[in-house]
Each structure stands twice: as C-alpha cells, then as structure tokens.
Amino acid sequence: MRVKYYFDIEITEKNTLKIGNKEFIPSIRKISDLSPVLMNPIQSENPAYFMYRNIYLDEHKDLFERNRIRFDITILLPLIIGKEYNKTFGHYHPKSNGFSYPEIYEVIKGRAIFILQSETFDRVFLIYAKEGDQVFIFPNYGHVTVNIGNEPLILSNLVYSDFQSDYSVYREKRGAMVYVTTEGFIKNPNYNTNFEIVELRAKKLFRELYLEYIEHPEDFNFLKGMNIK
C-alpha cells in the first residue's frame, strides 16, 4: 500500500513502514490486546492496528529531538469486532500544573470518529474526521480513535515525547464512555450514563501536519504543556 503525503508512505507486506530509504518497524496491537476495552471481549491474535513511533526524515532528526516532539503514524485496520468498529485502546495524558498535555491528530487516509471524554466523565465529544482533517486533543480529556470506514485508517500525530500515557481508566471502565457500533452509539454502563454527548465535525486546519511542524516548530511549543523551555 502506498499513500501520498508530504513524503511517500509505503506499507510493505511485512507491515513495515518505508519512507524513502528509511524503514520503521511497528508496535502491533492485537484484537486480544483490546479485550479489556471491548464491549464484548474477543480473543484473537489477529492485528487490530499498527503504531509507528518517532517518524522523521534524516534532515529533520535534530529538529524533533531538540524540541522533544514526536511524530507518529498509526494504521487501524477496517474491522468489526463483535459489533464495534475497530478502535484504539484509549488513554489519558499526565498533567503539568493542572492541565494534561495536548496532542494533534491528522487523518491521512480514511474516516474516523475521535472519542474525547472529560476526566470528570460528564461530557463526550464525538468528532467525525475525514482525509486531511486535523483534530486537537483538549487538555484533561482522554481519547480513543475509531475506524468507521471500509479501508485502513491512517493517522499521524504530533505529541510531546517526555511523558507516558495512562491507560488505567479505560482498562478499569472497559473502554470509553461510548461504544461506536454497527447499531449506533451505545453508552458504556460502567460510567454514570447521565452525561452530555456533543457531535462535531473536524476540519482541515493547515497543511500536512509534518510540513507545518518542520516549517513552524515554534507554533507547536504548546504541546509541551506548562513545561515550555
């Protein structure tokens, strides 16, 4: 599979990601790995999605490392797992002076719903995104991404590299506050189900995320939270 982006992206038969002469090996999340967050757990060793971390062209290596910003690519396969559309596990980011680190996602190919839930579990944003759209992950919100299309969903993201994500809430509550299924949205009963659901549509905010960053890295200092240096 080849995809045109700022650079050409090639996914090989072995699921490695090639950019020019550089090759990246994925971390693989299997369907069985998602079992703790599925509405109806399924045990399967088949892959659900592939995560490629720290993607950069050689000429931009110092720029990313010096600023401690990471560019990733994630590919979610077009699957129905039980009744759910394939999704990421979900996590929150740690806080810096009361606010969790933000993040920016971009849909390179496919269609997605981003599920953003508040840390107090009183509100959920369901953000529909298509190819070229960018989505901002608000501070103090956890997030899950769902592939609602019939082709692989290819995402990129920019995030501060100096923290570890927290998956515990999603594991304890068996997923996000809402399941996205072939029968519509179903509230997760492990939360207080008296919460607000807000549906939004993402937009293309700027050019390719990678290009925007390498040309204007100072515009992304906010990703470092309150620890900007």
Side-chain angles (χ1 to χ4, degrees):
M1 178 173 61
R2 289 179 179 271
V3 179
K4 187 72 175 177
Y5 187 57
Y6 170 74
F7 36 67
D8 289 336
I9 299 171
E10 179 183 356
I11 309 300
T12 71
E13 292 182 357
K14 296 182 179 180
N15 296 311
T16 59
L17 184 147
K18 294 182 66 176
I19 298 172
N21 61 356
K22 294 177 66 67
E23 192 164 334
F24 299 88
I25 306 300
S27 296
I28 301 174
R29 188 84 77 181
K30 297 178 290 188
I31 292 174
S32 58
D33 296 327
L34 293 176
S35 182
V37 297
L38 294 175
M39 184 172 63
N40 300 116
I42 291 176
Q43 296 300 320
S44 169
E45 297 305 298
N46 291 331
Y49 57 96
F50 304 92
M51 299 172 286
Y52 306 88
R53 303 300 190 217
N54 292 308
I55 305 297
Y56 53 78
L57 299 176
D58 287 338
E59 59 264 35
H60 304 135
K61 178 180 179 180
D62 289 344
L63 177 62
F64 282 97
E65 292 184 348
R66 181 174 65 250
N67 290 333
R68 307 195 302 282
I69 296 296
R70 199 180 75 218
F71 181 84
D72 304 326
I73 291 177
T74 302
I75 301 178
L76 281 83
L77 298 178
L79 305 173
I80 304 297
I81 306 175
K83 295 180 180 179
E84 287 186 80
Y85 289 96
N86 191 19
K87 64 184 181 182
T88 58
F89 195 97
H91 62 261
Y92 284 84
H93 297 169
K95 292 183 177 181
S96 168
N97 293 337
F99 296 95
S100 65
Y101 293 94
E103 187 171 6
I104 297 178
Y105 277 87
E106 175 181 51
V107 177
I108 296 176
K109 185 177 180 62
R111 295 190 299 125
I113 291 179
F114 291 80
I115 305 174
L116 276 61
Q117 63 182 52
S118 64
E119 63 180 1
T120 53
F121 309 144
D122 61 342
R123 180 176 299 164
V124 169
F125 289 96
L126 302 178
I127 304 176
Y128 297 81
K130 64 185 184 307
E131 183 174 327
D133 289 342
Q134 287 108 7
V135 175
F136 179 69
I137 306 300
F138 317 134
N140 300 347
Y141 274 74
H143 60 98
V144 167
T145 309
V146 184
N147 182 357
I148 58 171
N150 56 9
E151 63 181 340
L153 172 63
I154 305 179
L155 306 169
S156 66
N157 68 278
L158 277 178
V159 67
Y160 187 47
S161 63
D162 291 5
F163 69 77
Q164 296 294 320
S165 298
D166 182 359
Y167 298 85
S168 62
V169 168
Y170 290 88
R171 186 175 288 108
E172 293 166 4
K173 298 286 190 179
R174 189 166 289 284
M177 294 165 65
V178 172
Y179 297 114
V180 181
T181 79
T182 56
E183 298 176 352
F185 302 127
I186 297 177
K187 289 186 174 183
N188 183 342
N190 295 304
Y191 296 87
N192 175 1
T193 56
N194 185 26
F195 55 80
E196 180 183 9
I197 298 178
V198 180
E199 296 184 51
L200 301 172
R201 293 198 177 275
K203 294 182 179 180
K204 183 177 178 63
L205 303 174
F206 35 72
R207 299 167 300 169
E208 290 100 334
L209 192 55
Y210 189 97
L211 174 61
E212 198 71 24
Y213 176 75
I214 62 171
E215 291 194 352
H216 304 285
E218 68 282 355
D219 290 348
F220 294 87
N221 280 339
F222 69 90
L223 294 174
K224 302 177 186 180
M226 301 303 292
N227 290 330
I228 296 176
K229 296 180 181 179

